[in-house]
Amino acid sequence: LKSAAPRLAFANRWRRSSKYLRAMQLVARCPVLLAVFLSAMIGAATDEVEAPVEERHLAVVVGVEDVEMPMCGFSKTRLEEDPIRRTCLRQCRIEPNGQIRPTFPEWESYCRETAGMDLWDDECQDYLACTFGCDVWGGDREEFSSMRGSERYEYLGDTKADMYNAGITQERRCVLEKCHSYCARAALGTCRESQFRQQCLAGNPALYDCDVDCSSAERVRLTGALLSLLAIVIGAALH
């Protein structure tokens, strides 16, 4: 353990200096400096072993919402035992740069990791059951839909391992992407569809000669809504 006295003495001298007010004004305008300053002051007031430099840097980056980092952070606790991260991963929000977070792969991982729970998200159930209705995943959604708890969790893990562990061809990858695109349209709400579209476009399917339409999920749902509205308008006009 390191003594806090030298750090406290430094902090007291700094607060008495003529540059303190100007520094505080600068810190208030910059979130990064604010995070670093708070970290330094907390360290000066505690009597604990200092964390490695890498850990201190990570704390600052996450604190200022680095969109390249997972929105819900990292944890060794299983999601089934972590209600805070489960709530976080159920979100769907648009960042200032237009990116949607959490990402679709993060949300799908959340679904798979919590599949053993008695109370499982309906969206997870609907989307993954839909995928098992595709021929590439076996073509039988009813078998999966009837599963519960640990049986469902293990089935998801086993089928994914069978699909990907030995590697997949570009042709099969394209078939999978088309299946997932269809199920995003058929089973999920608008925000989840946008999550999928972002992930689909990031995968650049044209590079492996795949003609999947990443935008079709959003466009088809919008078309359906417009047709419904048109039917209402026509119906009202006829009465």
Side-chain angles (χ1 to χ4, degrees):
L1 296 180
K2 297 183 178 180
S3 173
R7 285 177 290 172
L8 285 171
F10 170 78
N12 290 331
R13 287 197 303 272
W14 170 243
R15 280 194 292 267
R16 288 194 299 267
S17 72
S18 60
K19 299 179 181 178
Y20 179 76
L21 181 58
R22 290 197 299 273
M24 290 302 94
Q25 292 172 341
L26 177 61
V27 164
R29 297 192 189 102
C30 180
V32 174
L33 289 178
L34 178 59
V36 173
F37 175 77
L38 290 175
S39 177
M41 298 315 298
I42 292 172
T46 57
D47 191 21
E48 298 177 354
V49 177
E50 290 187 344
V53 172
E54 294 79 8
E55 293 182 17
R56 296 201 302 273
H57 176 69
L58 177 61
V60 171
V61 170
V62 173
V64 297
E65 282 282 65
D66 186 340
V67 295
E68 298 302 320
M69 301 289 288
M71 188 180 85
C72 302
F74 302 97
S75 176
K76 294 182 179 180
T77 305
R78 298 176 59 215
L79 271 176
E80 291 183 351
E81 303 168 356
D82 194 339
I84 294 177
R85 286 188 69 230
R86 291 202 307 270
T87 299
C88 178
L89 289 165
R90 279 195 293 263
Q91 295 182 83
C92 189
R93 78 184 199 192
I94 302 177
E95 301 294 348
N97 66 353
Q99 181 180 352
I100 300 175
R101 295 202 305 162
T103 63
F104 191 83
E106 286 178 311
W107 175 77
E108 186 178 352
S109 293
Y110 152 77
C111 288
R112 291 177 176 275
E113 290 181 41
T114 58
M117 300 180 67
D118 292 332
L119 296 176
W120 197 38
D121 278 12
D122 290 339
E123 278 191 320
C124 296
Q125 171 72 43
D126 294 342
Y127 172 74
L128 288 168
C130 176
T131 63
F132 284 111
C134 299
D135 289 340
V136 70
W137 282 106
D140 184 7
R141 65 181 296 163
E142 298 304 323
E143 179 183 6
F144 174 75
S145 297
S146 65
M147 295 179 182
R148 297 292 182 271
S150 60
E151 181 186 15
R152 179 173 58 201
Y153 176 84
E154 292 172 6
Y155 184 78
L156 284 172
D158 291 343
T159 52
K160 185 175 182 179
D162 291 342
M163 179 65 72
Y164 290 101
N165 281 1
I168 59 174
T169 64
Q170 292 185 350
E171 181 181 1
R172 170 157 287 202
R173 180 182 176 186
C174 183
V175 173
L176 285 167
E177 201 71 2
K178 289 180 178 180
C179 168
H180 300 162
S181 178
Y182 167 78
C183 289
R185 177 184 74 240
L188 300 177
T190 303
C191 190
R192 296 273 179 249
E193 289 179 35
S194 298
Q195 276 181 319
F196 176 82
R197 178 178 180 274
Q198 175 179 274
Q199 174 255 321
C200 179
L201 291 173
N204 203 349
L207 287 180
Y208 52 98
D209 296 323
C210 183
D211 59 350
V212 62
D213 187 351
C214 296
S215 303
S216 64
E218 292 178 320
R219 184 166 60 251
V220 169
R221 185 175 293 272
L222 179 59
T223 301
L226 290 175
L227 288 175
S228 297
L229 179 60
L230 180 61
I232 294 173
V233 172
I234 293 174
L238 293 176
H239 286 79

